[in-house]
């Protein structure tokens, strides 16, 4: 799954290895968070450490938190830790 994150002047592009059944579950949970403003939904890699969580807050906002990283061919690692309120 291709992931693109933008927040003001900061952004990241990477891929996540997501199982299709888990993606369906995430999509339903995210829809429920959006429509009810309750609960949370997590997009998580099947065999990796990357994840993004969308959590409904009491003030009606949706809090986004997660870690997205990508190792390139030079064995360097870029890590994006995000928290958007």
């Amino acid at each position: 799954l291709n992931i693109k994150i933008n927040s003001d002047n900061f952004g990241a592009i990477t891929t996540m290895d997501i199982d299709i059944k888990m993606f369906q579950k995430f999509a339903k949970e995210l829809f429920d968070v959006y429509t009810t403003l309750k609960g949370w939904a997590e997009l998580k890699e099947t065999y990796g450490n990357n994840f993004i969580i969308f959590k409904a807050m009491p003030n009606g906002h949706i809090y986004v938190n997660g870690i997205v990283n990508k190792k390139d061919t030079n064995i360097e690692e870029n890590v994006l830790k995000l928290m958007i309120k």
Side-chain angles (χ1 to χ4, degrees), residues 20-62:
I20 189 65
K21 291 180 182 179
M22 294 304 293
F23 185 77
Q24 290 172 331
K25 179 179 183 261
F26 164 74
K28 183 191 177 314
E29 290 172 349
L30 185 59
F31 179 79
D32 291 344
V33 168
Y34 179 75
T35 57
T36 66
L37 293 177
K38 294 180 182 175
W40 58 280
E42 181 178 21
L43 181 61
K44 182 178 176 183
E45 281 189 313
T46 306
Y47 299 108
N49 298 320
N50 295 328
F51 69 92
I52 303 173
I53 297 173
F54 299 80
K55 182 177 179 184
M57 303 304 289
N59 62 2
H61 293 189
I62 296 178

